[in-house]
Amino acid sequence: MGTARAGSMKWLAVAAVLLVAAVAEGADLAHRQQAVNRLLYRIHSPILSKFPELKQLSNSFDPRGNAGSCKDGGNAVNHLMDELDAGRLLEQHHWFSLFNTRQREEALMLVDVLLNCENFETFVGKAAFFRERMNEGEFVYAIYVAVSHSDFMQDVVLPPLYEVTPHMFTNSEVLDRAYTAKMTQTPGEFHMDFTGSKKNKEQRVAYFGEDIGMNSHHVHWHMDFPFWWHGDEIDRKGELFFWAHHQLTVRFDAERLSNYLPPVDELYWDRPIKEGFAPHTNYKYGGEFPTRPDNKNFEDVDGVARIRDMKEMESRIRDAIAHGYVDKSDGSHIDIDNNHGIDVLGAAIESSTSSVNPSYYGALHNQAHRVLGAQADPHGKFNMPPGVMEHFETATRDPSFFRLHKYMDNIFKEHKDKLPPYTADDLKYDNVEISDVDIDELSTFFEDFEFDLGNSLDTADNVKHVDVHAHIPRLNHKPFHYNIHYHADHDDTVSIRVYLTPVRDENGIKMHIDENRWHAIMIDNFWAEVKAGTHNIRRSSFDSSVTIQDRVSFEELISKADEAVENNHPLEVNSGRSCGHPHNLLLPKGNKEGVEFWLNVHVTSGDDAARADLHSNDYDGNHGYCGIHGKAYPDKRPMGYPFDRRIPDLRVVKNLPNFFGKTVRVYHKEGH
């Protein structure tokens, strides 16, 4: 007991040096930000001596000696320490995959430890201790999840993952050149191409699945809404799983349209995987990501699933849709032919801890990721590491990701198509009549984006720092505004949903509304106040509630936090969640002639809002695909409303005064 207390007093003194000095000046956030930055800096190397307080804390902190600062009385940390002391944890310098059951258990042990901390002093002490003793991938995952969900960490900005673990986002050819630059002490700026060649038609849309903002959004979505979550219930989590991935799928199809490709075909368990994939990416430790050849037949994956198991899971889910109810584990039923049904189905298909009967319905989505990822070595004959589909940050790089989610999306559509179409009464709002919507020219272009590769390189106290950066072309668009011209009978708060929907298919044939409505891309969803009389609402593309701007670079975060701490000033940095569709991909790529889209604006009552202040508080402005952290999803209506159900006749929406549609074109301009 004496040793534990002495150790505890020592780490408390160090933590005080790290954190307490500027609390009275309102700069506590700067200290928290600085500590998180330093915990993630050069994650594959020991804590550097230039961070002496953190390094000392990693050596002096006694994880078992501070039960009073743990919400659970120290149970979580004692369990993790037992595993560490027994040598049962994954070693450092080894790949990590969340889909690996044991590795996930270990990462979640640390998540549990961190989320049970009563204060940040305890948080940083435990984090520093386990950083030096746990697998790096497990540690990074735990830190990102814990910071995302901890009450006292909500203002801390997480560094972009593509600069913390660049090897998961960067082609191996570029990293080879970065290593050479480090060894020769020569700064380098390296251009990165997308995988594949022009011989592969899928290369035309690689810019979408390989966009680092897209990769980041996908992994952060699954951190904000983890399938393993056992904490407080997350509102409409199953429906959000459907909605976020549905929007990824329809956006991918829109990109294919502008590149003269047909919509992506769904996955079939009894047919070959038509498109192969060569990731051109290496693990930091563990070799290359496996390559899958073209026309690969599905094989059972040892220790994961048989293909007949996948078919059985699908069959049980489709049976539930046909019957209109799911079977709970206690034998009772839950009706799903209603607005709530999509939430129940989403949880069952993923499968998350919200699933009402995981032993019966299985985990179709999660197991499919594992099965697809292991097709290069399904029987472990070559001891290959996990494929790109077995990591949320790399999955969208593989074209089979979108085939898998088209397959899932079609199951969801089967359920949605069973529901009765909305009537005019379900859609109308008598107070507002939209007379017109004018919008600036919509155009896209490619521009280079730079990010830092430094964290991918090994370092030490006596090794000089070398600047190495990658440059990659990314799709972007010219900023635009639109004006909604309306007449209102009286003042009110209203809900506004804005969609872009392809007008024609890949053959240039105009689609019926009941066909193209499932391809509707939400570009905004917001609340506003209308005034009696004739007025207009002006909205900027930058205000979109479905996208986020690129994250502050790791280098800038470090610089600003260090400067704020040194000068005892509050930290000034753009915060906000990391979950959100990348703003540069708000618009699908156009072409020279202009791809036709139907611009749809639907105004309904402000009573659709789950919170009364949404017209004046955008809650970080990214709720469209990611909800509001810790709160109810802001729109009470089904996600995708009014296009989530069948529309047998265009006149149902065309004659609504509160609904407006017009054809617009999206152009693409080279050499912007």
Side-chain angles (χ1 to χ4, degrees), residues 190-208:
F190 309 115
H191 178 78
M192 185 168 79
D193 292 316
F194 300 114
T195 57
S197 71
K198 292 182 180 179
K199 293 181 179 180
N200 177 10
K201 62 183 181 181
E202 293 297 321
Q203 175 75 6
R204 299 180 208 167
V205 287
Y207 64 84
F208 184 79

Side-chain angles (χ1 to χ4, degrees), residues 312-333:
E312 183 64 26
M313 284 184 246
E314 176 191 342
S315 176
R316 291 175 179 180
I317 290 166
R318 290 191 188 274
D319 282 348
I321 293 171
H323 292 143
Y325 62 83
V326 296
D327 294 307
K328 295 180 67 176
S329 53
D330 63 6
S332 61
H333 295 164

Side-chain angles (χ1 to χ4, degrees), residues 62 83 104 119 133 153 286 302 354 438 445 600 603 631:
D62 177 16
E83 297 295 302
R104 180 173 67 251
N119 51 61
R133 293 162 180 84
M153 300 291 283
D302 295 352
S354 304
D438 61 73
F445 56 89
N600 310 284
V603 177
K631 296 178 173 60

Side-chain angles (χ1 to χ4, degrees), residues 130 335 365 464 507 557 588 663:
F130 287 110
D335 292 333
H365 167 264
K464 185 179 178 182
N507 296 312
L557 269 181
T663 300

